[in-house]
Amino acid sequence: MDGQENERRETGGERTPAAGRTRRWIGRVRRPGRPRRDSGWRRLGVALAVLAVTFGGVVAGTYAGGHIFTDIGPFRAELSLRPALTGSTTVDIPPLGALILDSHDGPTHLTVQLGALDQGRTEALIDDPASISRASQSAVQDVRAGVLRLGLRTLACAVLATLLLAALAFRDTRRTAWAGGLALVITGGSLGLAAGTMRPQAIEEPRYEGLLVNAPAIVGDARRIANDYTKYAEQLQRLVGNVSKLYTTVSALPVYQPAPGTTRVLHVSDMHLNPTGWQLIRTVVDQFGINVVIDTGDITDWGSEPEASFVNSIGVLKKPYVYIRGNHDSPRTAAAVAAQPNAIVLNNSTVTVDGLTIAGIGDPRFTPDKNTSPAGSDLTPQVANQVISTGEQLAATIARSPRPVNIALVHDPASAGPLSGACPLVLAGHTHARQVSKLPEVPGKKPTTLMVEGSTGGAGLRGLEGEKPTPLSMTVLYFDQEKQLQAYDDITVGGTGQAQVNLERHVIKNPAEGDAVPVTPTPTRGGSESPVPPSGTAPSPTATR
C-alpha cells in the first residue's frame, strides 16, 4: 500500500489499471502558471493570421472581380472598384484626361472609364433630338444600376477569394468560415459606408487632370452650359422638324428653278461632335435631293478614339461624302471617315464625283498636339506660313490635274489665297462664321469665289458660351450640266431666343464671274424671326477656333 501511495504522489494522479493510460495522463500534466499564457498567445496568433488572410483575400478578390462593363448613355464604360485610403471617384476620358470627384467616404475608390460610343444608341440620338434629354436622364439610372451590380460582384468576389485563400492557408473549416465572415463584414461595411455618404453634388466641383485641366476655360461654367443645352435641345426638337417645310418653300420661289441634270452639293463644316447636326444633314439631303456632301473639317473636337465612332452616321446618308481634315481632327479621325463605305478623304488629292472634279487638302495643324500646333489655332506668323503653304501645295496639285478642277477644299480660309485663279470656287470653314467673297484676281486668270461655311454643329458645346447659342448652318449649292455654280441656298437653324429655321437664296447673276444676287430671306419660324445677314456682311472671323 505504501508503494502504491508513493507512486500516486510521484505521478501526481491516480493509479489506473493500464500503465499506458497512466503515461498518457502524465504527459498532459503542465507546470503551474503556463497554460493560460501559452493559450492566449496562440489565440492571438491565430486571430492575426485570420485577419491577414482576410485582408489579402478581400484585396485579391476586389482586384480580380471588382469591375464590370456597362452602358452609360451612348457610351460603353468600364466601372471598377479598388481599395483606397480615402473615398473618391475618377471619371477617365482617354486620351483627354480625367475628372477626380470627392464623391464619398470610406476605403473604396470608383473608376469610371468611358470607352467608345455605341453605334445603335448614337444613331437613336441622331434620329430623335428629344432623346438627348432622355439620354441625360437615363445616364444617371445607368450609373446607379452599374454601381449596384459592381458592388454585388465585388462583395461576392472578395468573400470567395478569402474563403479559397483561408482554406489553403489553414485547412481548417472553422477558421475558413471565420475568415469568410470577416471578409463579408469588411467588404459590405466599406461599400455600405460609401453608399451612405454619397455626395452627388461632387460632380459640380471636379478636379481635372491631363488635357482636361483647361476644360473650365474652354467650356466656361459647366452647370450653366448644361442648363442652356437642355433648353436648346428642347427647341431643336421642333426646329429640325421645321426643316422639312423648307422644301415646300424653296419650290414656291419662282426666281430659280434647277434644270434637269443639276448637281446639288451640300456644304457642311465644323460639326464639333454635335449629334443634332446629323439629323439636320439627313433631313436636308432627303428634302433637297442632294447628290454630294462636302465636309471641310472639324467633325470632332479632340480627334480621340472614342470620338471616331461619331463619324459612323456618314454611312447612313448613302451619298458620296467628300471630306478634308480640320485642325481638330486627327489622322485617326480621317481614317475613321475613310472607313465609311460612301466617304472620300482628300489629302492634297483630287476626285471626280457626279461629274464634279474636287481637289482638297487637310489642315496642317492638329490643335490638341502642341508639337504640330504650338500656338493652338491662333494665327501667329508661324501658323500663317503653315496654312498658306498648304494652299500652295493644293494649287500645285490642281495645276497637275488632268481634268479641270471645279471646287477646291481647304479648312482654314487663310489657305485660300494661293488658289486664286486655280479653280472657280473654294470652300472652307474653321471660322464658324458664314462669308462669301472674291479672292484677289490673278492677271490672265478667271476669278475665284471663296465661300466660308459657318458651323453645322453650332460649334459644339463652345457655341453655348455666349448669351445665345451659335446657329447651325449649311449651304446647298446648285451646279448646272457644265458644272458652273448657278445658285446656292444658305440654311440656318437658330438657337435659344431665335427659334426659327431660315433660308436665304442667292442666284448667280453671271455664272462665269460668280456674282450672286440674294433673294428675299424666307424664314420658317418656330418662334421670333431673325433673318440671316446678306452674303458678305457676316462678322469678321476670328483666328482661334
Side-chain angles (χ1 to χ4, degrees):
M1 293 294 293
D2 292 338
Q4 294 177 357
E5 181 65 28
N6 290 335
E7 184 179 351
R8 284 196 297 268
R9 286 176 182 176
E10 290 175 2
T11 60
E14 295 182 354
R15 187 172 180 271
T16 59
R21 293 182 185 177
T22 302
R23 283 194 291 271
R24 285 196 296 270
W25 187 84
I26 293 172
R28 291 196 293 269
V29 175
R30 295 175 182 172
R31 294 179 183 177
R34 295 195 58 179
R36 291 184 180 178
R37 186 163 58 248
D38 291 348
S39 178
W41 283 110
R42 187 170 181 275
R43 289 195 184 100
L44 179 59
V46 171
L48 291 176
V50 170
L51 190 61
V53 169
T54 300
F55 275 110
V58 168
V59 172
T62 301
Y63 273 93
H67 58 86
I68 63 168
F69 288 93
T70 187
D71 292 325
I72 300 177
F75 288 96
R76 186 68 175 167
E78 181 181 7
L79 306 183
S80 59
L81 277 175
R82 295 291 181 266
L85 296 177
T86 57
S88 59
T89 297
T90 297
V91 182
D92 194 8
I93 312 174
L96 307 182
L99 304 179
I100 311 298
L101 310 176
D102 184 17
S103 57
H104 60 275
D105 297 328
T108 55
H109 179 80
L110 172 64
T111 299
V112 181
Q113 182 168 353
L114 298 181
L117 287 167
D118 181 80
Q119 184 173 354
R121 290 193 173 197
T122 304
E123 290 180 357
L125 289 176
I126 296 169
D127 291 333
D128 181 11
S131 62
I132 296 174
S133 297
R134 293 195 297 272
S136 63
Q137 297 170 2
S138 65
V140 177
Q141 299 172 358
D142 293 340
V143 171
R144 287 176 179 170
V147 170
L148 179 60
R149 286 172 48 215
L150 175 62
L152 294 175
R153 177 185 172 90
T154 302
L155 182 63
C157 291
V159 172
L160 180 59
T162 302
L163 290 173
L164 291 175
L165 187 59
L168 292 174
F170 302 125
R171 300 182 184 276
D172 183 272
T173 304
R174 188 169 65 174
R175 294 174 186 176
T176 300
W178 271 106
L182 191 57
L184 179 64
V185 171
I186 293 174
T187 309
S190 300
L191 296 175
L193 178 60
T197 58
M198 188 66 67
R199 292 181 289 272
Q201 67 274 16
I203 190 65
E204 299 178 3
E205 299 177 354
R207 177 164 58 87
Y208 299 91
E209 290 185 352
L211 293 175
L212 291 177
V213 168
N214 297 320
I218 294 172
V219 302
D221 187 339
R223 286 171 292 180
R224 177 181 56 78
I225 287 179
N227 292 335
D228 289 347
Y229 190 78
T230 299
K231 299 176 184 177
Y232 187 35
E234 291 174 354
Q235 290 198 357
L236 282 175
Q237 182 182 2
R238 301 193 303 269
L239 294 175
V240 173
N242 287 340
V243 176
S244 60
K245 300 178 182 178
L246 287 174
Y247 182 76
T248 304
T249 303
V250 172
S251 62
L253 292 175
V255 180
Y256 171 72
Q257 292 292 338
T262 296
T263 303
R264 295 169 172 85
V265 174
L266 177 61
H267 180 203
V268 302
S269 190
D270 296 82
M271 287 276 286
H272 287 292
L273 292 175
N274 188 345
T276 306
W278 286 122
Q279 172 63 21
L280 185 60
I281 291 173
R282 291 174 62 181
T283 302
V284 172
V285 166
D286 293 340
Q287 295 290 339
F288 284 70
I290 298 299
N291 302 107
V292 182
V293 179
I294 289 177
D295 186 339
T296 47
D298 275 3
I299 198 169
T300 60
D301 260 337
W302 296 93
S304 63
E305 183 176 359
E307 291 177 283
S309 59
F310 178 75
V311 309
N312 290 341
S313 294
I314 291 175
V316 179
L317 299 176
K318 298 180 180 178
K319 300 289 182 181
Y321 195 97
V322 183
Y323 162 87
I324 60 168
R325 191 180 62 81
N327 62 293
H328 282 268
D329 301 330
S330 66
R332 177 180 292 168
T333 305
V337 173
Q340 302 303 308
N342 56 322
I344 303 165
V345 177
L346 296 179
N347 191 16
N348 199 24
S349 54
T350 63
V351 68
T352 299
V353 183
D354 264 63
L356 285 167
T357 300
I358 306 168
I361 189 169
D363 197 276
R365 301 156 293 178
F366 178 44
T367 295
D369 184 356
K370 298 309 176 186
N371 291 326
T372 63
S373 185
S377 301
D378 294 335
L379 199 58
T380 63
Q382 180 183 0
V383 172
N385 290 335
Q386 280 184 301
V387 295
I388 292 172
S389 174
T390 297
E392 292 171 347
Q393 293 177 48
L394 185 60
T397 298
I398 292 174
R400 294 192 298 268
S401 174
R403 302 186 59 169
V405 172
N406 307 112
I407 308 172
L409 310 180
V410 292
H411 177 66
D412 192 331
S415 301
L419 296 169
S420 180
C423 61
L425 179 63
V426 178
L427 301 182
H430 184 63
T431 65
H432 304 168
R434 181 184 279 141
Q435 268 192 331
V436 179
S437 60
K438 290 283 189 179
L439 293 176
E441 292 193 25
V442 176
K445 300 279 188 174
K446 291 185 178 180
T448 299
T449 300
L450 170 64
M451 300 183 70
V452 182
E453 190 56 78
S455 174
T456 306
L461 279 181
R462 64 172 60 83
L464 297 173
E465 289 180 333
E467 294 182 1
K468 298 177 180 178
T470 302
L472 282 68
S473 62
M474 58 183 63
T475 301
V476 179
L477 302 100
Y478 301 90
F479 294 86
D480 63 13
Q481 292 184 346
E482 284 71 39
K483 306 310 173 188
Q484 291 186 335
L485 183 64
Q486 300 294 312
Y488 58 92
D489 294 332
D490 289 332
I491 300 173
T492 305
V493 177
T496 304
Q498 293 181 317
Q500 70 171 40
V501 178
N502 186 287
L503 181 140
E504 184 176 4
R505 167 159 291 177
H506 304 260
V507 178
I508 306 299
K509 181 174 61 175
N510 184 353
E513 301 296 328
D515 296 327
V517 178
V519 180
T520 304
T522 307
T524 300
R525 290 186 294 274
S528 60
E529 178 179 353
S530 178
V532 177
S535 174
T537 62
S540 299
T542 58
T544 304
R545 295 293 171 190

